[in-house]
Amino acid sequence: MPFRNLLLDDEKACVLAVDDTPAILQLLEMALGIDYEVVTAESGAQALEIFPQRRFDLVLLDLLMPGMNGFETLTELQKLPSFNGTPVIFLTAMDDLASECSALEMGADDYITKPFKPNLVRLRIANILHRVRLQRHLSLALAGADQGLWSWDLASDQVRVAAGWSEALGCANGEAAAEVAGWAALAHADCGAVIEQARAAYLAGERPAFEADVRLRTLKGAWKWFNIYGKSGNRQSLVGTYRNIDAKKAAELALRDSEERLRHVMDATGEGIWDWQVGSTTARHNAAWSRILGLDEAMHEHEIAGVAALIHPDDRAAYAAALAACLAQAPSFALEYRIRHASGNYLWVMDRGKVVERATDGAALRLVGAFQDISESKRLEEEYRRLALFDTLTGLPNRRLLVDRMEQAIVQNRRQASLGALMFIDMDRFKELNDSLGHDFGDLLLIEVGHRLQACVRRMDTVARLGGDEFIVMLPLLAAEEEIALRHAQAVGHKILVALGQPYRLGAQSYDSSPSIGLTLFSGSPEESVDAILKRADAAMYEAKHRGRNQLALAAPPPLT
């Protein structure tokens, strides 16, 4: 269906597009120019100059602009007499619930994030203009309409409609009061029960008046929606008014259809939308919410306690704290946590919520929000962290992570008045292995060296690979006394000499290698630096090689005070 057909007439709607990026304005002109007249402004100030010069049906407003941002521009537009409730759609690169809610609270009709899909923008504009024009026409119709009068004799079930208003039901204007055989005779078959239930409830004192919205058949045969309202004239009759609400019903159906389309769009984005009336034991969700958790998508309501039980035990406290703060006073919350999928696996989700309704005493009444599955981004984040901090061959910490841990160890030594030790390890005859058997065998040896080193140290110690065949072993918090710390470190060093000196099984090959180890102690002295510690251990390692390899050499003692 052409977008123009969604409007109530053939007049082209005029759209004011406000954005500080010329390329965005050009894209909007190209995407909307066929169906709408598009006027552009590159700033909020320019928009304020243009708007009073003509009538605009809708404003597309960039949120982030220099000088006067979108919120400020909308505030000033709303002060103009000609604005008079003109619908506004915010365009922004800020994809967060707080900004979206702020925009809607200011009176914006929609909120679209960049980069946007032109077809989606066109459809949203068409839906909003369709709804707005329906509402305008309905307001004019209701403002110019009086209410028709009727009386209903309950004993004879005869309804008399006052002259002058009988035309609405198909009678000629000016006739005497029209008389019909009861409302049920005029009502659609689906509405007969509605009328009877409304009458019975009123006569039984369950309702303050007789009222029903029904479809009535006019004398010309058309079906139209009417609201009929009345009270007892005496025991045997009801008197009241009726009014044609056909336009109102059409608007409601159009709005419902628009909301249904919006719900489908929200489901297509993959975001799980939730709505909680605070105090209720259940919350409502869209199908995407259930789909994310692997639940039945037809179920749009779930128990709060059951959902809370799905949250990972380690994340429940943080979730409860964020929710409590939001309910108490914080405007919104945003939290990443793990929640159990129906398959039993845990997903990482980003959950955002906002209180949209509070009582006069400030108590939260309604909370809405959205969450999305961020497991893949979390996996990528962890992968990036691993690549940045760990050696890809052995899986050991690389130089960057080693330096960070050494800096922490120096601080720990200073706080606890303790000493640590660092060993610089280089594998003997490694180049010969690469030259004779190839780099694949060299890699196998390095992987095995990493495994053996880890088996020689405590969980709190660090084994790292600097590159090539160079490894580091760091032993923090050994002892306060230099002699005891050195004895512990040398014991570990000799254990490493034995472990790394054992033959290596590399595929079908057996290979003998040994380490040369340089050992140095380090303190928590402010003058102690990571670079200086590494240089001391490196020098000691070369001393071990000079002495004939397969040895542990001790570096000259550093200043330990």
Side-chain angles (χ1 to χ4, degrees):
M1 177 187 295
F3 287 105
R4 193 181 302 177
N5 288 353
L6 293 176
L7 306 179
L8 291 183
D9 51 51
D10 289 330
E11 179 187 359
K12 260 194 174 184
C14 188
V15 176
L16 175 61
V18 187
D19 199 296
D20 63 318
T21 305
I24 295 295
L25 293 177
Q26 186 177 19
L27 176 60
L28 290 172
E29 287 182 304
M30 293 174 59
L32 306 177
I34 295 177
D35 298 292
Y36 307 102
E37 183 178 353
V38 180
V39 178
T40 62
E42 295 186 0
S43 67
Q46 188 179 5
L48 292 173
E49 294 177 1
I50 293 175
F51 195 91
Q53 299 175 14
R54 61 178 299 169
R55 182 180 68 85
F56 288 96
D57 296 283
L58 183 137
V59 177
L60 291 171
L61 184 56
D62 185 18
L63 186 58
L64 297 178
M65 295 187 293
M68 183 183 295
N69 63 33
F71 289 140
E72 295 167 341
T73 302
L74 178 56
T75 300
E76 295 303 315
L77 284 173
Q78 290 171 335
K79 297 177 182 178
L80 299 176
S82 58
F83 185 78
N84 192 28
T86 302
V88 174
I89 298 177
F90 272 119
L91 300 174
T92 179
M94 297 175 61
D95 187 14
D96 64 278
L97 183 62
S99 298
E100 182 173 357
C101 290
S102 298
L104 296 178
E105 287 172 355
M106 286 191 67
D109 293 77
D110 209 341
Y111 182 99
I112 300 176
T113 56
K114 303 175 184 176
F116 52 79
K117 297 178 180 178
N119 283 343
L120 181 59
V121 175
R122 294 170 65 206
L123 181 58
R124 289 191 178 183
I125 290 174
N127 285 342
I128 289 175
L129 289 178
H130 181 48
R131 187 187 70 230
V132 168
R133 291 191 179 190
L134 281 174
Q135 291 171 341
R136 287 176 179 172
H137 286 217
L138 176 61
S139 297
L140 291 174
L142 293 178
D146 294 325
Q147 294 193 0
L149 301 176
W150 56 266
S151 65
W152 186 4
D153 187 318
L154 299 178
S156 63
D157 200 23
Q158 295 292 308
V159 174
R160 292 176 61 84
V161 182
W165 275 100
S166 58
E167 186 178 16
L169 291 176
C171 302
N173 205 6
E175 287 184 3
E179 188 169 303
V180 294
W183 287 119
L186 291 173
H188 190 278
D190 295 342
C191 300
V194 174
I195 294 174
E196 183 55 36
Q197 289 171 5
R199 181 178 71 164
Y202 170 60
L203 294 178
E206 298 172 1
R207 294 184 183 176
F210 163 75
E211 183 176 17
D213 288 348
V214 295
R215 281 192 296 167
L216 302 179
R217 185 182 62 209
T218 69
L219 297 183
K220 292 182 179 180
W223 289 103
K224 294 186 179 181
W225 278 99
F226 287 85
N227 171 264
I228 52 179
Y229 179 94
K231 293 188 176 182
S232 294
N234 54 54
R235 283 190 168 187
Q236 298 298 320
S237 67
L238 299 177
V239 295
T241 62
Y242 74 88
R243 57 192 174 95
N244 187 312
I245 59 171
D246 226 31
K248 177 184 176 182
K249 284 293 183 180
E252 289 177 354
L253 293 174
L255 181 58
R256 185 184 307 167
D257 184 59
S258 177
E259 290 175 345
E260 182 69 11
R261 287 198 298 269
L262 178 59
R263 185 181 67 81
H264 287 311
V265 170
M266 292 302 297
D267 283 344
T269 66
E271 284 204 358
I273 309 300
W274 52 265
D275 187 334
W276 178 40
Q277 296 290 338
V278 179
S280 171
T281 60
T282 62
R284 292 190 59 81
H285 314 281
N286 66 350
W289 186 94
S290 299
R291 184 164 57 250
I292 289 173
L293 296 180
L295 303 175
D296 183 358
E297 294 184 27
M299 294 292 293
H300 292 163
E301 191 167 322
H302 292 83
E303 292 289 333
I304 296 293
V307 174
L310 297 177
I311 298 174
H312 193 285
D314 293 345
D315 298 337
R316 289 175 188 169
Y319 177 84
L323 180 60
C326 184
L327 293 175
Q329 57 184 2
S332 61
F333 75 87
L335 185 68
E336 295 180 358
Y337 59 87
R338 289 159 292 179
I339 190 166
R340 191 170 69 249
H341 188 271
S343 65
N345 299 321
Y346 278 96
L347 306 174
W348 273 101
V349 296
M350 165 58 79
D351 200 353
R352 297 182 178 90
K354 180 179 178 65
V355 175
V356 296
E357 186 179 351
R358 290 187 182 274
T360 54
D361 62 357
L365 298 177
R366 185 182 177 201
L367 194 67
V368 299
F371 83 166
Q372 59 186 138
D373 184 354
I374 59 170
S375 300
E376 180 61 16
S377 62
K378 277 290 187 180
R379 186 192 67 78
L380 292 175
E381 179 183 315
E382 178 60 26
E383 181 65 13
Y384 293 149
R385 188 190 74 85
R386 189 185 66 79
L387 292 175
L389 300 178
F390 292 87
D391 175 52
T392 56
L393 176 64
T394 63
L396 298 174
N398 60 15
R399 177 183 287 271
R400 178 181 297 179
L401 183 54
L402 171 66
V403 170
D404 180 70
R405 291 187 180 179
M406 287 181 65
E407 289 173 344
Q408 294 180 38
I410 292 172
V411 173
Q412 289 176 334
N413 282 348
R414 182 159 58 248
R415 288 175 179 171
Q416 301 189 29
S418 182
L419 296 173
L422 185 133
M423 282 178 270
F424 199 116
I425 302 169
D426 186 269
M427 296 304 295
D428 301 329
R429 299 177 56 228
F430 182 71
K431 185 176 183 303
E432 297 177 17
L433 172 63
N434 278 338
D435 292 343
S436 60
L437 298 179
H439 290 281
D440 290 343
F441 286 92
D443 289 346
L444 292 175
L445 184 138
L446 294 176
I447 293 170
E448 179 61 22
V449 168
H451 292 160
R452 295 184 186 185
L453 287 174
Q454 289 178 304
C456 292
V457 299
R458 304 167 296 180
R459 289 176 60 87
M460 64 184 294
D461 300 329
T462 294
V463 177
R465 181 188 176 209
L466 292 187
D469 61 336
E470 295 179 337
F471 292 83
I472 296 292
V473 172
M474 183 186 67
L475 312 173
L477 301 175
L478 291 177
E481 296 80 9
E482 180 179 349
E483 180 180 352
I484 297 175
L486 183 59
R487 187 164 63 247
H488 288 172
Q490 287 176 319
V492 175
H494 288 297
K495 184 178 180 181
I496 291 174
L497 280 173
V498 173
L500 299 189
Q502 299 299 314
Y504 293 84
R505 192 69 184 176
L506 309 178
Q509 300 287 332
S510 179
Y511 190 80
D512 292 327
S513 185
S514 61
S516 293
I517 306 174
L519 169 65
T520 185
L521 297 179
F522 65 93
S523 67
S525 170
E527 290 77 23
E528 191 79 283
S529 71
V530 171
D531 188 57
I533 298 170
L534 288 171
K535 285 182 178 179
R536 289 201 306 270
D538 187 31
M541 181 273 293
Y542 277 105
E543 176 64 23
K545 283 191 177 292
H546 181 70
R547 294 178 185 175
R549 302 178 180 176
N550 195 23
Q551 294 189 33
L552 174 67
L554 181 63
L560 300 178
T561 59

